[in-house]
Amino acid sequence: MEDSKRGIEQENINQEKKEMTRRSFLKMIAGTGLLVGLSGALAGCVEKSPEHAGGKGWLPYQYNVAGNLPAQVRGRVPIDADNPSITRDDQKCILCGQCLEVCKNVESVYGYYDLPVVDETICINCGQCSMACPSGAISERDDTKKVFEALADKDKFVLVQTAPATRVALGEEFGLPPGTWVQGQQVAALRRLGFNAVLDTNFAADLTIMEEATELIKRIKGEVKKPLPQFTSCSPGWIKFCEYFYPELIPNISSCKSPQQMFGALAKTYYARARGIDPENIVSVSVMPCTAKKFEAQRPEMNASAKYWKRGNLRDVDVVLTTRELARMLKEKQIDLTALPEENYDKLMGEETGGAVIFGATGGVMEAAARTAYFLITGQEPPALFLNLTPVRGLAGVKEAAAEIPGVGTLRVAVSHGMANGRKILNAVREGKAPWHFVEFMTCPGGCIAGGGQPRTAVPPSDTVREQRLAALYKADASLSKRKSYENEEVAALYRDFLGHPMSELAEELLHTEYHSRADRLKRILAQAV
Amino acid sequence: MASTKGVLVDITRCIGCESCVVACRLYNGLEPGQKNRGKTKQNGNTELAPDKWTAVQGYRVDKDGNKVRRFVKKQCLHCLEPACASACFARALQKTPEGPVVYNEKLCVGCRYCMIACPFGILRFEWDKPFPRVLKCQMCLARVADNQMPACASVCPTGAVTFGERDKIVEEAKKRQASNPNLYVSQIYGLKEAGGTSWLYLSDVAFDKLGFRTDVPEKPIPEYTWQVLRWTPHIFIGWGALLTGMYLYTKRRAAVHAEEEMYAPVDVDEK
């Protein structure tokens, strides 16, 4: 009974379904479509889009976003892609302007020439910009790969020289406090890296003093027809600075090469002969606190060994590493400097005196030269004043000293560091108001101890760190038994066996050079206020 | 147009530090790909790229018998009557009242007509992207609308890039030329090129030696298309009228012909 009822109901439903005609179906579809369309259109009106294509409002919405430009932007110094000393990484640069600050106010290069630029990006390669760069965008040109390749080559005899200033700074890269004396560990570390000979630029520094002091005496006596005051020539940044801005004073610069280049010239002549090595198999590496040394080593005239052997392809110094690059190499080879024992330099070109050690400090070259000049003139040991020529020590921008030398009179000297300070002296010399006999110029503030290739212990470099490094050098000088360059026995042996005497013909050929005006590369501003 | 902003690039004051390039990248959030980082042009210069809206290119040229080095900042010149915008049927490129010619990627269909239209060859296409855009300098519209310098101008350490009202910028350029006639060449690039641009250049070396296109007509590029396109309605109506006339004529001729046949004398020979 119930089943039949259910069957009838089912039939009714089926009948109703069947009554869905084609017309009513189309009506339903059309109605639904209309409803959807209408609701969609209404929804579109409700949702107010912030952008109206082509309307006036869309542009600011798209672009009025907070830019990523730092609040304080001041630009930066120009660095050529082929600058041998420094490179920059655009990805890291934040345009803070610290490099400009240093280049303009400390080195007085940027802004000291008239625009438009002539044919060269003016740079003295000092690398102080890399020291001041807070983001590490400016750094030295990395030459570590060349050294690793040379060390891996079994046919090559790779010798290395280390500058006076690296031994008071390298430790900072390994967590030691500024000014820690790591000379012995540095020698040990270089041996671990695989250098065939570890030698000392200090040897060449003593040699420089012998040559430079001799030249000074000859100038004072009138045996060399060159003007006074004599300028030091150890700092390659200063040399390039003088070639750019004060070409008329080039004759005042001592014709001596810098210790690095003297060493390089001797490494492939004197050392090669003494050790019986083919100079072409020698790879001459130097570890320097300085980026300008990279430029100096590439100067075309720095190939005295090629002239000596009459082989065209020799360079006196093949690769220059900064202190930072050496630290990077040691870290790459996982050599812990602090855990190494102290070792001594190799013989023949590895001896040092206190006079050479203080080459790394502002005033150091001057002090060392004065000690030797006194001896060369009087034939007597210099008095205590010459061993502690305190007026030329310290971080004052321009320092002066006068010392009595019996038989000659008063030797007047001046010292400056940072080329902005140097300009004060140079302008006085240009105006003929210079009372000095000998002037030391250092490109970097504090001298080589704060060179452009030194560890970036404080950014920007602080005088606190500089003073600690300086103190370490003077402490080492005071503690050495030999403090005067003429006491260096290896230098004496070099003169006895090879060169003859200071400023001999061979010494002139290997250890002296000429400088060339670069004034045509820029438009000089002569009346620049200092 | 009085408030249109402009920028003066004084090539004699550029030292080639590329601060402007970094500033552009920082402000616009451009992260250059590895392959675009290096030097791409044959002469060693960096070229514009989708992620490099401005570039500084170095040129060694002869000047009075000496070799000199000049740096040229390159970017969109922001024409007063931009060809790219006139070529863009999607209105993805538009000239703003402030001066910048800006690009809205949401409207862009990727046809690249703008690239063909640009007389200075500035626009760059993202060839390697699935949904490519056409990119170029936007002259930092948000900053310019706020009366600030574009990012590049704000960092220039030597003042080689100067920003201001275009009229005043033109005055400044003329003043510099007048005060130093021995230095500058007489042309101000961008004053008349393509009908005038928002970016103007001063130089002491002829512009064609510095990679500038000097064959750009002085008439705005959109005017050339207008010279043709303005005949459209006339041709449209005229063509219709011509066809109508011909239709009427042939119809009439046919009618006359039929009539003549109808009323023609009956052939006598047949009878």
Side-chain angles (χ1 to χ4, degrees), chain B residues 206-225:
Chain B
F207 283 100
D208 56 341
K209 288 185 188 171
L210 298 175
F212 283 88
R213 283 197 60 177
T214 45
D215 55 349
V216 180
E218 290 190 0
K219 210 191 294 181
I221 308 294
E223 273 191 17
Y224 287 89
T225 45

Side-chain angles (χ1 to χ4, degrees), chain A residues 102 106-107 126-133 291 443-445 450-452 461 466:
Chain A
V102 167
V106 176
E107 300 298 1
C126 67
Q128 283 298 309
C129 50
S130 77
M131 295 295 281
C133 180
T291 52
T443 314
C444 297
R466 289 188 183 118

Side-chain angles (χ1 to χ4, degrees), chain A residues 67-206:
Chain A
N68 294 324
L69 204 61
Q72 184 75 42
V73 284
R74 292 176 54 215
R76 58 181 183 179
V77 292
I79 298 174
D80 265 350
D82 57 357
N83 189 313
S85 301
I86 45 175
T87 59
R88 67 170 184 221
D89 184 350
D90 280 2
Q91 301 287 304
K92 290 183 187 169
C93 181
I94 53 169
L95 300 171
C96 65
Q98 291 299 304
C99 49
L100 284 177
E101 176 80 13
V102 167
C103 196
K104 188 172 187 179
N105 296 332
V106 176
E107 300 298 1
S108 69
V109 172
Y110 171 79
Y112 280 76
Y113 47 89
D114 210 358
L115 295 175
V117 293
V118 179
D119 191 25
E120 193 171 283
T121 299
I122 305 304
C123 174
I124 60 167
N125 306 74
C126 67
Q128 283 298 309
C129 50
S130 77
M131 295 295 281
C133 180
S135 64
I138 303 178
S139 61
E140 68 284 349
R141 182 168 289 282
D142 194 327
D143 290 319
T144 57
K145 199 170 158 235
K146 287 184 201 165
V147 179
F148 275 128
E149 281 171 4
L151 290 171
D153 190 342
K154 292 282 168 256
D155 296 333
K156 297 286 181 197
F157 186 89
V158 191
L159 61 80
V160 62
Q161 54 166 320
T162 64
T166 63
R167 63 203 75 192
V168 292
L170 181 64
E172 292 163 38
E173 286 274 348
F174 295 85
L176 298 173
T180 308
W181 185 259
V182 291
Q183 175 175 319
Q185 286 92 339
Q186 183 179 250
V187 174
L190 289 166
R191 291 222 171 89
R192 303 292 183 283
L193 276 175
F195 285 99
N196 300 92
V198 183
L199 302 166
D200 201 354
T201 313
N202 280 358
F203 163 83
D206 280 329

Side-chain angles (χ1 to χ4, degrees), chain B residues 100-171:
Chain B
V101 177
V102 290
Y103 168 76
N104 185 349
E105 62 184 70
K106 291 189 180 171
L107 300 177
C108 180
V109 296
C111 69
R112 290 177 273 127
Y113 285 173
C114 49
M115 294 173 70
I116 299 165
C118 176
F120 304 105
I122 296 296
L123 294 108
R124 291 293 180 273
F125 190 65
E126 292 181 308
W127 294 100
D128 50 353
K129 292 268 175 73
F131 297 103
R133 297 171 293 174
V134 179
L135 293 174
K136 69 169 193 72
C137 159
Q138 305 284 346
M139 204 172 153
C140 300
L141 174 67
R143 289 174 66 96
V144 170
D146 199 20
N147 217 11
Q148 293 181 54
M149 292 180 236
C152 54
S154 71
V155 301
C156 184
T158 59
V161 188
T162 323
F163 170 77
E165 310 266 320
R166 186 177 184 270
D167 299 346
K168 296 205 173 129
I169 284 297
V170 172
E171 260 174 52

Side-chain angles (χ1 to χ4, degrees), chain B residues 183-203:
Chain B
L183 180 64
Y184 296 106
V185 295
S186 59
Q187 189 182 6
I188 300 173
Y189 195 90
L191 189 63
K192 290 174 182 163
E193 276 70 17
T197 59
S198 295
W199 282 66
L200 303 153
Y201 285 82
L202 273 181
S203 171

